Amino acid sequence: MLTVEGISTYYGNIQALKEINLKVEEGEIVTLIGSNGAGKTTTLLTISGLLKPARGRVTFCSRDITGVPPHNIVKMGISHVPEGRRIFPQMTLMENLEMGAFSRTDKREIKNDLEKVFHIFPQLKGREKQLAGTLSGGEQQMLAMGRALMSRPRLLLLDEPSMGLAPMIVKEIFQIIEEINSQGTTILLVEQNAQMALKTAQKGYVLETGRIVMQDNASSLLENDDVRKSYLGE
């Protein structure tokens, strides 16, 4: 479904990504792990069109999307839940969800998808008029994911969905990620909690200082001594 080939991305004169290559097959959960500053967020921003690579190519469903504007990438079927959630705090919960469907005109299907979001995130049901900024951190993360699902993505990019959340909420978020995947949405997951990410994903990539240094089945990476020492705190 997604192929990233030889991507190099810069912030000014600073090279953040160095010839990145990765693949995501349809139906998979693939995780990208690494320390802070390794380039994980930059990878997602490049895929979703918010950053333009200096070199390389991003292909989605056999179509070259390198340099395509972000709103058109959303229409093609890629939705991005950014680090820090980035909800609209002064808008209501419902208005945030409606923003996720900004590119759609099928009103009846939008209504059906709203019901699906409330089924996946029952904590949000009945709070449609509440200002998003007054939700708890876990509820805001659920809202950000629900907003992304309103565009009906084939591929969902998740950036640090567990950041700043209590352990019980983290467990719930990962259960929801698995549920979303089981309903047919492919997921590329960036996550600081490497253990949870590798237990959830089928495949993993390890990113260090802008380079992919390791890739394998997630279960194999969980047993890898270097991964365990560097990212699992063992």
Side-chain angles (χ1 to χ4, degrees), residues 2 41-51 58 65 68-74 78-81 157:
L2 178 77
T41 292
T42 303
T43 301
L44 296 191
L45 292 172
T46 303
I47 292 168
S48 62
L50 292 164
L51 289 175
V58 180
I65 63 170
V68 172
H71 64 280
N72 287 334
I73 289 178
V74 172
I78 298 178
S79 196
H80 186 172
V81 181
L157 308 179

mmCIF file of all heavy atoms in Angstrom, residues 2 41-51 58 65 68-74 78-81 157:
data_model
loop_
_atom_site.group_PDB
_atom_site.id
_atom_site.type_symbol
_atom_site.label_atom_id
_atom_site.label_comp_id
_atom_site.label_asym_id
_atom_site.label_seq_id
_atom_site.Cartn_x
_atom_site.Cartn_y
_atom_site.Cartn_z
ATOM 1 N N LEU A 2 1.871 1.304 0.853
ATOM 2 C CA LEU A 2 2.739 2.483 0.967
ATOM 3 C C LEU A 2 4.187 2.065 0.778
ATOM 4 O O LEU A 2 4.649 1.102 1.389
ATOM 5 C CB LEU A 2 2.577 3.135 2.339
ATOM 6 C CG LEU A 2 3.479 4.356 2.599
ATOM 7 C CD1 LEU A 2 2.932 5.585 1.868
ATOM 8 C CD2 LEU A 2 3.596 4.636 4.095
ATOM 9 N N THR A 41 8.780 11.493 13.572
ATOM 10 C CA THR A 41 7.730 12.451 13.208
ATOM 11 C C THR A 41 7.976 13.027 11.822
ATOM 12 O O THR A 41 7.036 13.200 11.034
ATOM 13 C CB THR A 41 7.656 13.572 14.259
ATOM 14 O OG1 THR A 41 7.172 13.040 15.499
ATOM 15 C CG2 THR A 41 6.733 14.697 13.808
ATOM 16 N N THR A 42 9.232 13.307 11.502
ATOM 17 C CA THR A 42 9.568 13.838 10.176
ATOM 18 C C THR A 42 9.156 12.871 9.077
ATOM 19 O O THR A 42 8.691 13.284 8.012
ATOM 20 C CB THR A 42 11.079 14.129 10.088
ATOM 21 O OG1 THR A 42 11.439 15.040 11.120
ATOM 22 C CG2 THR A 42 11.453 14.721 8.742
ATOM 23 N N THR A 43 9.305 11.570 9.341
ATOM 24 C CA THR A 43 8.885 10.571 8.363
ATOM 25 C C THR A 43 7.397 10.673 8.084
ATOM 26 O O THR A 43 6.964 10.693 6.922
ATOM 27 C CB THR A 43 9.235 9.157 8.864
ATOM 28 O OG1 THR A 43 10.653 9.061 9.076
ATOM 29 C CG2 THR A 43 8.819 8.101 7.852
ATOM 30 N N LEU A 44 6.581 10.764 9.138
ATOM 31 C CA LEU A 44 5.131 10.876 8.947
ATOM 32 C C LEU A 44 4.756 12.184 8.256
ATOM 33 O O LEU A 44 3.871 12.209 7.393
ATOM 34 C CB LEU A 44 4.406 10.755 10.285
ATOM 35 C CG LEU A 44 4.510 9.422 11.031
ATOM 36 C CD1 LEU A 44 3.505 9.391 12.187
ATOM 37 C CD2 LEU A 44 4.312 8.235 10.123
ATOM 38 N N LEU A 45 5.410 13.270 8.642
ATOM 39 C CA LEU A 45 5.122 14.564 8.021
ATOM 40 C C LEU A 45 5.453 14.553 6.524
ATOM 41 O O LEU A 45 4.761 15.186 5.716
ATOM 42 C CB LEU A 45 5.916 15.676 8.718
ATOM 43 C CG LEU A 45 5.514 16.004 10.156
ATOM 44 C CD1 LEU A 45 6.513 16.975 10.781
ATOM 45 C CD2 LEU A 45 4.105 16.591 10.212
ATOM 46 N N THR A 46 6.489 13.824 6.158
ATOM 47 C CA THR A 46 6.867 13.722 4.749
ATOM 48 C C THR A 46 5.853 12.880 3.984
ATOM 49 O O THR A 46 5.459 13.233 2.868
ATOM 50 C CB THR A 46 8.278 13.111 4.618
ATOM 51 O OG1 THR A 46 9.219 13.915 5.352
ATOM 52 C CG2 THR A 46 8.719 13.063 3.168
ATOM 53 N N ILE A 47 5.406 11.781 4.580
ATOM 54 C CA ILE A 47 4.411 10.933 3.921
ATOM 55 C C ILE A 47 3.105 11.700 3.705
ATOM 56 O O ILE A 47 2.486 11.618 2.634
ATOM 57 C CB ILE A 47 4.151 9.669 4.758
ATOM 58 C CG1 ILE A 47 5.402 8.768 4.762
ATOM 59 C CG2 ILE A 47 2.944 8.890 4.218
ATOM 60 C CD1 ILE A 47 5.345 7.649 5.780
ATOM 61 N N SER A 48 2.682 12.470 4.715
ATOM 62 C CA SER A 48 1.390 13.169 4.617
ATOM 63 C C SER A 48 1.469 14.482 3.846
ATOM 64 O O SER A 48 0.460 15.169 3.707
ATOM 65 C CB SER A 48 0.826 13.423 6.018
ATOM 66 O OG SER A 48 1.672 14.260 6.766
ATOM 67 N N GLY A 49 2.649 14.828 3.341
ATOM 68 C CA GLY A 49 2.783 15.995 2.486
ATOM 69 C C GLY A 49 3.036 17.300 3.206
ATOM 70 O O GLY A 49 3.147 18.355 2.568
ATOM 71 N N LEU A 50 3.157 17.269 4.535
ATOM 72 C CA LEU A 50 3.406 18.494 5.291
ATOM 73 C C LEU A 50 4.863 18.942 5.194
ATOM 74 O O LEU A 50 5.169 20.107 5.440
ATOM 75 C CB LEU A 50 3.001 18.295 6.749
ATOM 76 C CG LEU A 50 1.487 18.131 6.952
ATOM 77 C CD1 LEU A 50 1.185 17.562 8.331
ATOM 78 C CD2 LEU A 50 0.774 19.463 6.762
ATOM 79 N N LEU A 51 5.741 18.008 4.844
ATOM 80 C CA LEU A 51 7.125 18.329 4.514
ATOM 81 C C LEU A 51 7.434 17.759 3.135
ATOM 82 O O LEU A 51 6.980 16.662 2.797
ATOM 83 C CB LEU A 51 8.099 17.730 5.541
ATOM 84 C CG LEU A 51 8.134 18.349 6.931
ATOM 85 C CD1 LEU A 51 9.070 17.541 7.832
ATOM 86 C CD2 LEU A 51 8.583 19.809 6.875
ATOM 87 N N VAL A 58 7.568 8.890 -2.459
ATOM 88 C CA VAL A 58 6.542 8.237 -1.646
ATOM 89 C C VAL A 58 5.448 7.766 -2.596
ATOM 90 O O VAL A 58 4.894 8.555 -3.362
ATOM 91 C CB VAL A 58 5.951 9.193 -0.590
ATOM 92 C CG1 VAL A 58 4.882 8.474 0.231
ATOM 93 C CG2 VAL A 58 7.036 9.738 0.316
ATOM 94 N N ILE A 65 2.912 10.109 -4.708
ATOM 95 C CA ILE A 65 2.287 11.240 -4.016
ATOM 96 C C ILE A 65 3.332 12.232 -3.498
ATOM 97 O O ILE A 65 2.995 13.118 -2.726
ATOM 98 C CB ILE A 65 1.396 10.754 -2.850
ATOM 99 C CG1 ILE A 65 2.212 10.023 -1.775
ATOM 100 C CG2 ILE A 65 0.265 9.886 -3.359
ATOM 101 C CD1 ILE A 65 1.421 9.750 -0.497
ATOM 102 N N VAL A 68 2.617 16.091 -3.365
ATOM 103 C CA VAL A 68 1.181 16.364 -3.481
ATOM 104 C C VAL A 68 0.724 17.137 -2.244
ATOM 105 O O VAL A 68 1.136 16.822 -1.123
ATOM 106 C CB VAL A 68 0.393 15.034 -3.621
ATOM 107 C CG1 VAL A 68 -1.111 15.276 -3.544
ATOM 108 C CG2 VAL A 68 0.757 14.335 -4.923
ATOM 109 N N PRO A 69 -0.110 18.169 -2.382
ATOM 110 C CA PRO A 69 -0.564 18.936 -1.216
ATOM 111 C C PRO A 69 -1.269 18.048 -0.194
ATOM 112 O O PRO A 69 -1.965 17.095 -0.560
ATOM 113 C CB PRO A 69 -1.537 19.956 -1.828
ATOM 114 C CG PRO A 69 -1.094 20.098 -3.249
ATOM 115 C CD PRO A 69 -0.604 18.737 -3.652
ATOM 116 N N PRO A 70 -1.118 18.364 1.096
ATOM 117 C CA PRO A 70 -1.681 17.507 2.145
ATOM 118 C C PRO A 70 -3.178 17.248 2.015
ATOM 119 O O PRO A 70 -3.634 16.128 2.264
ATOM 120 C CB PRO A 70 -1.359 18.279 3.427
ATOM 121 C CG PRO A 70 -0.154 19.089 3.100
ATOM 122 C CD PRO A 70 -0.308 19.466 1.650
ATOM 123 N N HIS A 71 -3.964 18.268 1.652
ATOM 124 C CA HIS A 71 -5.417 18.047 1.580
ATOM 125 C C HIS A 71 -5.776 17.061 0.479
ATOM 126 O O HIS A 71 -6.763 16.326 0.594
ATOM 127 C CB HIS A 71 -6.159 19.374 1.394
ATOM 128 C CG HIS A 71 -5.864 20.091 0.121
ATOM 129 N ND1 HIS A 71 -4.732 20.856 -0.060
ATOM 130 C CD2 HIS A 71 -6.550 20.158 -1.055
ATOM 131 C CE1 HIS A 71 -4.736 21.374 -1.277
ATOM 132 N NE2 HIS A 71 -5.818 20.957 -1.894
ATOM 133 N N ASN A 72 -4.968 17.011 -0.579
ATOM 134 C CA ASN A 72 -5.221 16.029 -1.640
ATOM 135 C C ASN A 72 -4.797 14.628 -1.203
ATOM 136 O O ASN A 72 -5.410 13.634 -1.605
ATOM 137 C CB ASN A 72 -4.490 16.431 -2.916
ATOM 138 C CG ASN A 72 -5.139 17.616 -3.611
ATOM 139 O OD1 ASN A 72 -6.338 17.837 -3.451
ATOM 140 N ND2 ASN A 72 -4.377 18.383 -4.357
ATOM 141 N N ILE A 73 -3.754 14.553 -0.379
ATOM 142 C CA ILE A 73 -3.336 13.252 0.154
ATOM 143 C C ILE A 73 -4.427 12.687 1.059
ATOM 144 O O ILE A 73 -4.688 11.480 1.049
ATOM 145 C CB ILE A 73 -1.985 13.392 0.881
ATOM 146 C CG1 ILE A 73 -0.871 13.628 -0.156
ATOM 147 C CG2 ILE A 73 -1.676 12.164 1.736
ATOM 148 C CD1 ILE A 73 0.501 13.829 0.434
ATOM 149 N N VAL A 74 -5.089 13.550 1.834
ATOM 150 C CA VAL A 74 -6.224 13.108 2.651
ATOM 151 C C VAL A 74 -7.317 12.532 1.752
ATOM 152 O O VAL A 74 -7.872 11.460 2.038
ATOM 153 C CB VAL A 74 -6.774 14.266 3.500
ATOM 154 C CG1 VAL A 74 -8.072 13.855 4.185
ATOM 155 C CG2 VAL A 74 -5.758 14.697 4.543
ATOM 156 N N ILE A 78 -5.143 8.874 2.989
ATOM 157 C CA ILE A 78 -4.186 8.871 4.096
ATOM 158 C C ILE A 78 -4.601 9.941 5.095
ATOM 159 O O ILE A 78 -4.785 11.102 4.732
ATOM 160 C CB ILE A 78 -2.748 9.156 3.618
ATOM 161 C CG1 ILE A 78 -2.284 8.066 2.644
ATOM 162 C CG2 ILE A 78 -1.785 9.226 4.804
ATOM 163 C CD1 ILE A 78 -0.885 8.300 2.090
ATOM 164 N N SER A 79 -4.739 9.549 6.354
ATOM 165 C CA SER A 79 -5.090 10.501 7.404
ATOM 166 C C SER A 79 -4.034 10.445 8.496
ATOM 167 O O SER A 79 -3.525 9.379 8.832
ATOM 168 C CB SER A 79 -6.468 10.186 7.975
ATOM 169 O OG SER A 79 -6.976 11.267 8.709
ATOM 170 N N HIS A 80 -3.711 11.601 9.066
ATOM 171 C CA HIS A 80 -2.576 11.761 9.976
ATOM 172 C C HIS A 80 -3.074 12.270 11.332
ATOM 173 O O HIS A 80 -3.695 13.332 11.402
ATOM 174 C CB HIS A 80 -1.606 12.766 9.344
ATOM 175 C CG HIS A 80 -0.314 12.944 10.068
ATOM 176 N ND1 HIS A 80 0.724 13.679 9.550
ATOM 177 C CD2 HIS A 80 0.126 12.498 11.264
ATOM 178 C CE1 HIS A 80 1.740 13.680 10.400
ATOM 179 N NE2 HIS A 80 1.394 12.961 11.447
ATOM 180 N N VAL A 81 -2.815 11.506 12.383
ATOM 181 C CA VAL A 81 -3.075 11.972 13.747
ATOM 182 C C VAL A 81 -1.749 12.470 14.298
ATOM 183 O O VAL A 81 -0.872 11.675 14.623
ATOM 184 C CB VAL A 81 -3.640 10.846 14.640
ATOM 185 C CG1 VAL A 81 -3.922 11.379 16.043
ATOM 186 C CG2 VAL A 81 -4.906 10.255 14.028
ATOM 187 N N LEU A 157 -1.960 7.313 9.846
ATOM 188 C CA LEU A 157 -0.653 7.611 10.426
ATOM 189 C C LEU A 157 -0.870 8.088 11.853
ATOM 190 O O LEU A 157 -1.552 9.087 12.081
ATOM 191 C CB LEU A 157 0.061 8.707 9.617
ATOM 192 C CG LEU A 157 0.176 8.506 8.104
ATOM 193 C CD1 LEU A 157 0.883 9.711 7.469
ATOM 194 C CD2 LEU A 157 0.893 7.212 7.760
#
